[in-house]
Amino acid sequence: GVCAGISPPGPQGRVQLLSTFARVRHLTVPGDVLQFLADHLPVSPRELKAAVARLDALARSTDASIVNR
């Protein structure tokens, strides 16, 4: 068999993944927020997708927009 290593995405890859996951959910997330999340969530793509889902649910339940304060 073939053995291949899989490494987690780097910071820019996490930003791109978060952006894609947000776009699929029709969620507008500012670039600085995406960068903040990517910097503070060095996790797998599955966990990034879950983070966007939680962010979406919170924004919808509070009827708030997503901003970095």
Side-chain angles (χ1 to χ4, degrees):
V2 176
C3 184
I6 299 175
S7 60
Q12 192 55 38
R14 289 192 300 271
V15 169
Q16 291 174 344
L17 285 167
L18 288 164
S19 177
T20 299
F21 296 147
R23 190 172 46 253
V24 166
R25 296 182 76 88
H26 304 287
L27 182 64
T28 301
V29 182
D32 60 334
V33 174
L34 292 173
Q35 188 64 54
F36 177 85
L37 292 171
D39 291 342
H40 290 86
L41 296 173
V43 295
S44 73
R46 181 179 295 166
E47 291 168 299
L48 292 173
K49 188 174 184 180
V52 170
R54 288 191 304 267
L55 190 62
D56 186 21
L58 180 63
R60 290 178 194 275
S61 70
T62 61
D63 197 30
S65 60
I66 301 167
V67 295
N68 187 4
R69 294 183 187 202

